[in-house]
């Protein structure tokens, strides 16, 4: 097989480099766990206390540095971990006797990604809260399980203190347990291959870099969330969810009900593919494995560049900019009742009802439009938004409906802006 001196499994220089970077990630992961334990006592996971407790952390000298290390260390972990996965895939470094090193790496990167996503809600600033609302809506689009997933993510109909509690529980217990297990198995995997000695200076490099960055780079932290942010959707995607955001919008073009392919199925297949590589490699030549991996990465890169739009600033204030509500020119026309009942039919026909409801209950993939008639009484706004949501709100995760005729759009607008109890 492909086991020349350059193959990462062969005990050569490349293998040593991979082992050193892996050691670096294990040390950084341990640093993240320790800093998390130090922060835990000072963080208040409630709606009233979260933002001010994080603000106080940031103001502290040593503890402020620890908080920044915790945040930037996580980001660095994802960058280095992602890069190492790529390097190993293209050099077949996942093969026996390195399969445990590989599985530890994949589990670590997946868990740290989850920590990054859940950790973003913890400061309870406006961007964090709106992002959680968007992410739960995206979870709600998965067929059959959608409403259960959304419900579990939010612990209710929209973001609340219970959402924060649940995400903190996952952030503090569930994912760290995965990290600890993966770190232990990673250490064992490295230690068992005594012929490959990791280079210490590479091994401590990620920890050192994160520590230095934490001295001067401000964390992402905006103003405290208010009730208005609990069901608002103006947040730009973060850099780490940006490829998923693009994948969502790309597959949405197939049809409004298909975005789960990009945002859940393809990422799930990628993780499954990576986890199964040591077995797949017994059947498939490295060239094909490299090609499949490149196709996955190409998909996310293309989707990101073509469809995802702007990224939220990774540091400083990320407060979302609200979509302006234009005043209608002249007085609003009274509701045309017949057109509104036509709109109700179109609402079902076009699959709007798959994501929205207009009654007391919440939809799954999108917000409840029960109060929309108060919020946006202007039919012109509704027409423009439904036809092409991104033209109004650049980060919108709602599919566009370019094929709808002017009459269809007017009917939908009448239906939505009809007052209800
Ligand atoms: C795949 C899920 C999905 C489908 C299908 C969908 N929407 Fe939406 N919709 C959303 C999401 C998510 C939002 C939240 C706002 C955003 O991301 O821009 C939204 C927001 C809205 C809003 C409120 C905008 C605001 O800020 O006040 C209206 C009105 C709306 N949708 C109407 C419709 C209509 C009409 C249809 C059918 C033609 C439809 N939606 C189909 C997901 C969906």
């Amino acid at each position: 097989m492909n086991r020349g001196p350059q193959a990462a499994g062969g005990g050569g220089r490349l293998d040593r480099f991979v082992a050193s970077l892996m050691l670096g990630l294990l040390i950084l992961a341990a640093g993240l766990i320790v800093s998390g334990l130090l922060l835990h006592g000072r963080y208040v996971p409630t709606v009233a206390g979260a933002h001010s407790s994080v603000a106080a952390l940031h103001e502290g000298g040593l503890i402020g540095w620890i908080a920044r290390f915790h945040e930037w260390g996580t980001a660095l972990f994802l960058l280095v971990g992602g890069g190492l996965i790529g390097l190993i895939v293209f050099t077949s470094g996942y093969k026996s006797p390195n399969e445990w090193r590989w599985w530890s790496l994949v589990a670590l990167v997946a868990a740290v990604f989850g920590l990054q996503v859940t950790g973003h809600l913890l400061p309870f600033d406006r961007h964090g809260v709106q992002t959680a609302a968007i992410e739960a809506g995206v979870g709600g689009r998965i067929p059959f399980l959608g409403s259960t997933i959304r419900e579990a993510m939010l612990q209710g109909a929209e973001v609340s203190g219970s959402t924060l509690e649940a995400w903190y529980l996952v952030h503090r217990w569930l994912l760290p347990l995965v990290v600890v297990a993966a770190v232990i198995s990673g250490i064992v995997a490295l230690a068992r291959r005594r012929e490959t000695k990791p280079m210490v200076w590479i091994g401590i490099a990620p920890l050192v870099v994160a520590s230095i960055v934490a001295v001067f780079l401000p964390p992402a932290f905006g103003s405290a969330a208010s009730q208005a942010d609990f069901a608002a959707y103006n947040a730009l995607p973060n850099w780490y969810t940006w490829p998923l955001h693009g994948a969502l919008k790309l597959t949405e073009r197939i049809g409004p009900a298909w975005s789960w392919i990009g945002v859940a199925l393809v990422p799930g297949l990628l993780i499954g593919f990576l986890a199964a590589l040591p077995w797949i490699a017994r059947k498939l030549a490295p060239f094909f494995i490299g090609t499949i991996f490149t196709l996955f990465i190409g998909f996310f890169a293309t989707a990101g560049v073509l469809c995802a739009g702007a990224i939220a600033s990774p540091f400083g204030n990320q407060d979302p900019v609200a979509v302006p509500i234009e005043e209608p020119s002249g007085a609003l026309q009274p509701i045309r009742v017949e057109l509104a009942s036509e709109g109700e039919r179109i609402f079902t026909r076009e699959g709007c009802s798959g994501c929205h409801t207009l009654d007391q209950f919440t939809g799954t993939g999108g917000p409840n439009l029960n109060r929309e008639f108060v919020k946006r009484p202007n039919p012109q706004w509704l027409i423009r938004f439904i036809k092409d949501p991104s033209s109004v709100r650049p980060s919108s995760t709602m599919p566009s409906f370019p094929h709808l005729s002017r009459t269809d759009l007017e009917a939908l607008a009448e239906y939505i802006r009809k007052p209800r109890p």
Side-chain angles (χ1 to χ4, degrees):
M1 298 296 273
N2 181 19
R3 279 284 174 79
Q6 272 303 310
R13 274 169 58 193
L14 185 62
D15 187 36
R16 206 169 161 216
F17 180 66
V18 167
S20 310
L21 269 185
M22 181 67 186
L23 179 66
L25 288 175
L26 296 177
I27 292 175
L28 182 57
L32 293 177
I33 297 277
V34 171
S35 54
L37 288 171
L38 293 171
L39 295 171
H40 163 65
R42 297 175 188 237
Y43 174 67
V44 184
T46 63
V47 171
H51 190 267
S52 50
S53 67
V54 173
L57 278 174
H58 287 159
E59 271 155 30
L62 180 62
I63 197 77
W65 174 79
I66 293 174
R68 289 193 294 278
F69 168 83
H70 195 67
E71 297 186 14
W72 291 122
T74 309
L76 184 71
F77 191 102
L78 291 176
L79 293 175
V80 178
L84 185 58
I85 285 183
L87 177 65
I88 294 181
V89 168
F90 288 115
T91 55
S92 306
Y94 42 77
K95 284 186 187 167
S96 171
N98 287 317
E99 60 270 61
W100 280 100
R101 181 177 79 184
W102 170 248
W103 284 322
S104 309
L105 174 65
V106 174
L108 271 174
V109 172
V112 173
F113 183 81
L115 285 164
Q116 173 80 67
V117 168
T118 47
H120 189 62
L121 178 64
L122 303 186
F124 225 64
D125 60 355
R126 296 189 52 221
H127 191 270
V129 165
Q130 293 200 17
T131 304
I134 295 170
E135 284 164 354
V138 170
R141 298 188 191 188
I142 292 165
F144 308 114
L145 302 173
S147 49
T148 317
I149 293 176
R150 184 174 192 275
E151 190 83 26
M153 286 176 80
L154 291 177
Q155 298 288 305
E158 53 183 46
V159 179
S160 68
S162 315
T163 319
L164 180 60
E165 269 171 39
W167 288 38
Y168 190 46
L169 198 73
V170 172
H171 188 86
R172 210 192 121 201
W173 284 111
L174 194 67
L175 294 170
L177 283 178
V178 178
V179 170
V180 169
V183 166
I184 292 172
S185 79
I187 292 173
V188 173
L190 287 186
R192 272 182 24 196
R193 301 217 43 235
R194 244 170 260 133
E195 70 279 16
T196 315
K197 283 241 178 323
M199 288 169 271
V200 174
W201 64 274
I202 298 183
I204 58 168
L207 186 79
V208 171
V209 172
S211 310
I212 295 173
V213 168
V215 173
F216 56 85
L217 211 57
F221 188 55
S223 28
S226 71
Q227 194 71 36
D229 296 298
F230 289 6
Y233 297 82
N234 300 310
L236 292 176
N238 286 305
W239 63 270
Y240 47 89
T241 44
W242 184 79
L244 291 171
H245 192 82
L248 176 126
K249 288 198 164 187
L250 184 71
T251 43
E252 219 161 54
R253 295 190 182 181
I254 308 173
W258 296 105
S259 54
W260 62 277
I261 294 184
V263 83
L265 184 67
V266 180
L269 287 175
L270 174 58
I271 293 176
F273 169 74
L274 293 177
L277 267 191
W279 297 298
I280 295 177
R282 291 184 200 154
K283 305 258 181 248
L284 220 57
F287 171 77
F288 291 110
I289 290 178
T291 308
I292 295 172
F293 184 72
T294 309
L295 285 174
F296 272 116
I297 301 304
F299 169 76
F300 284 112
T302 315
V305 171
L306 290 184
C307 307
I311 305 182
S313 159
F315 33 72
N317 192 331
Q318 308 173 303
D319 282 359
V321 183
V323 177
I325 304 179
E326 300 139 53
E327 291 303 320
S329 47
L332 281 177
Q333 299 291 317
I335 311 282
R336 288 172 283 170
V337 182
E338 251 166 56
L339 205 55
S341 37
E342 170 70 11
E344 183 167 6
R345 284 201 311 105
I346 301 172
F347 196 80
T348 314
R349 185 192 81 200
E350 292 297 326
C352 314
S353 47
C355 289
H356 299 289
T357 48
L358 280 130
D359 56 25
Q360 297 299 329
F361 304 103
T362 39
T364 57
N368 190 329
L369 299 178
N370 186 35
R371 298 285 102 192
E372 196 69 5
F373 75 96
V374 186
K375 214 168 121 193
R376 308 205 193 268
N378 180 0
Q380 297 314 317
W381 191 93
L382 288 169
I383 288 171
R384 192 148 72 87
F385 183 85
I386 296 166
K387 191 165 184 196
D388 184 9
S390 309
S391 71
V392 178
R393 178 186 287 136
S395 62
S396 177
T397 53
M398 170 163 145
S400 57
F401 291 86
H403 56 277
L404 290 180
S405 70
R406 182 77 200 174
T407 338
D408 283 357
L409 289 165
E410 276 174 9
L412 281 170
E414 293 302 287
Y415 174 53
I416 291 170
R417 72 187 194 99
K418 196 176 80 182
R420 42 202 94 235

